[in-house]
């Protein structure tokens, strides 16, 4: 069974170590009534010290069509440690036709030990959001950003998810943003997802996406346009001065249209800074805006911090870049 399966609203789970269950650590069962829960200060998938793996076999936290929940918070005591679980750290999904929306994931450690300096990754993605709209991962308030590092697949995976806000997270580094602690695939992957914002205009909204084993940010599928990647550091440390590259591309737009990549530092990555490409289906890719970025320099724009291949590569396009 699961560690806790919650089918009621307004439940608080605080200060527990939940581990070694044959299914999920915590399930918020929305179709049966779970919503508006508060999960804070828990160790999910580790022992009481927060340094030894005691995995739940599947997900650490599993939200099934459950809405308006708060996982973590901005004050340090609210932070959950969600690590070492067999599959995903935090899964937000719907079983049939529902939508998982208006949840907040803030201030958590997902895939590291309690110090935020050692890999204690979940077996699959750190955070996976499927059929979820209008959720917030991180935020601009002090302490709202999550550390999502060391996981066995993507740090953050959005699939068929719209209008979500992803801000001020560290994805692929240690808690200080000074050393790589990469996820085993890309830092952030958006698949069949539209209208999502990674970073943004407010001060402190940018994410640090560095040190991951494939791309920093990858966005795919032309039928779901209109994502924004704005004001992030992609391939450097938190200072924006030292390289901590993702192994492949900084930003990879594959068969995806009408996205905005603006105001980022995209430097130090293993291959291209920005790669825009079609796919085997020869979809027409149009309207991507790449503007006002620093590609191949440090944050000051004064020192070289090159990507391993091209700054910007455009391939297999039927319509050009505006």
């Amino acid at each position: 069974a699961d560690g806790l399966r919650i089918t009621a609203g307004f439940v608080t789970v605080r200060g527990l170590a939940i581990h070694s269950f044959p299914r999920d650590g915590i399930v918020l069962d929305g179709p049966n009534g779970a919503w508006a829960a508060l999960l804070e200060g828990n160790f999910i998938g580790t022992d009481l010290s927060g340094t030894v793996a005691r995995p739940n076999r599947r997900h650490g936290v599993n939200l099934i069509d459950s809405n308006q929940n708060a996982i973590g918070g901005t004050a340090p005591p609210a932070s959950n440690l969600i690590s070492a679980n067999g599959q995903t750290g935090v899964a937000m999904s719907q079983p049939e036709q529902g939508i998982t929306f208006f949840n907040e994931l803030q201030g958590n450690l997902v895939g590291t030990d309690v110090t935020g300096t050692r890999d204690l990754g979940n077996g699959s993605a750190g955070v996976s959001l499927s059929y979820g709209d209008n959720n917030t991962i991180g935020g601009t308030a002090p302490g709202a950003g999550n550390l999502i590092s060391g996981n066995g697949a993507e740090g953050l995976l959005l699939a068929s998810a719209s209008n979500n806000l992803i801000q001020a997270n560290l994805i692929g580094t240690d808690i200080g943003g000074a050393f790589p602690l990469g996820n085993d695939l890309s830092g952030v992957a958006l698949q069949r997802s539209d209208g999502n914002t990674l970073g943004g205009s407010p001060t402190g909204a940018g994410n640090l996406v560095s040190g991951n084993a494939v791309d920093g940010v990858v966005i795919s599928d032309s039928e779901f346009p209109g994502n924004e990647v704005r004001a992030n550091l992609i391939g450097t440390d938190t200072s924006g001065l030292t390289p901590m590259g993702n192994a492949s591309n900084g930003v990879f737009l594959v068969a995806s249209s009408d996205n905005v990549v603006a105001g980022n530092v995209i430097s130090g990555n293993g291959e291209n800074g920005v790669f825009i490409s079609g796919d085997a289906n020869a979809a027409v890719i149009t309207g991507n805006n790449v503007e006002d970025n620093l590609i191949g320099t440090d944050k000051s724009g004064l020192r070289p911090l090159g990507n391993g291949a091209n700054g910007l590569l455009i391939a297999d396009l039927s319509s050009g870049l505006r």
Side-chain angles (χ1 to χ4, degrees):
D2 305 300
L4 293 175
R5 190 173 193 91
I6 297 169
T7 60
F10 297 99
V11 172
T12 296
V13 181
R14 179 183 292 123
L16 303 181
I18 301 172
H19 61 73
S20 306
F21 285 91
R23 288 174 60 88
D24 300 325
I26 299 177
V27 177
L28 300 179
D29 188 345
N32 287 309
W35 68 294
L38 173 61
L39 311 182
E40 62 178 21
N42 301 289
F43 287 7
I44 304 170
T46 75
D47 71 350
L48 285 170
S49 73
T51 61
V52 178
R54 294 285 185 265
N56 300 292
R57 188 171 298 172
R58 298 202 321 178
H59 308 304
V61 178
N62 190 3
L63 279 64
I64 304 173
D65 196 8
S66 181
N67 308 312
Q68 298 180 336
N69 303 289
I71 303 173
T74 58
S79 174
N80 299 286
L81 176 64
I82 308 171
S83 298
N85 298 285
Q87 295 184 16
T88 304
V90 179
M92 303 184 194
S93 63
Q94 57 84 29
E96 294 177 359
Q97 299 300 318
I99 298 291
T100 301
F101 58 83
F102 295 123
N103 297 288
E104 292 186 348
L105 180 69
Q106 296 184 323
N108 302 285
L109 306 178
V110 184
T112 72
D113 71 350
V114 71
T115 70
T117 61
R118 291 181 54 246
D119 184 339
L120 211 62
N122 298 287
S124 186
V127 178
S128 176
L129 177 54
S130 178
Y131 293 95
D133 296 352
N134 298 295
N135 300 283
T136 299
I137 300 172
T140 57
N146 302 281
L147 175 63
I148 307 173
S149 298
N151 297 288
E154 296 86 356
L156 174 60
L157 172 63
L158 273 63
S160 300
S162 301
N163 302 316
N164 297 286
L165 187 60
I166 304 158
Q167 293 184 324
N169 301 286
L170 304 176
I171 303 174
T173 75
D174 72 336
I175 191 67
F179 298 99
L181 204 62
N183 299 287
D184 287 354
L185 294 179
S186 296
V188 180
L190 276 59
Q191 302 172 357
R192 308 181 308 280
S193 297
D194 63 312
N196 299 286
T197 300
L198 180 67
S201 300
T203 301
N207 302 275
L208 176 63
V209 187
S210 298
N212 297 289
V214 188
D215 301 305
V217 179
V218 58
I219 302 174
S220 60
D221 202 316
S222 61
E223 295 182 10
F224 297 86
N227 299 286
E228 289 196 9
V229 180
R230 191 180 293 274
N232 304 282
L233 297 175
I234 303 174
T236 74
D237 69 354
T238 192
S239 72
L241 303 175
T242 302
M244 194 188 301
N246 301 287
S248 188
N249 305 290
V251 178
F252 185 20
L253 307 181
V254 52
S256 185
S257 296
D258 299 319
N259 301 287
V260 174
V261 180
N264 305 280
V265 178
I266 308 173
S267 301
N269 298 287
E271 296 184 12
N272 305 290
V274 179
F275 184 18
I276 302 174
S277 175
D279 64 7
N281 296 319
V284 177
I285 311 305
T286 65
N288 290 298
N289 290 300
V290 179
E291 58 190 25
D292 196 31
N293 301 283
L294 297 174
I295 302 176
T297 75
D298 69 1
K299 187 176 181 178
S300 72
L302 300 175
R303 293 178 56 245
L305 208 66
N307 299 287
N310 304 284
L312 171 62
L313 175 63
I314 305 174
D316 300 326
L317 287 178
S318 298
S319 182
L321 181 75
R322 180 171 68 82

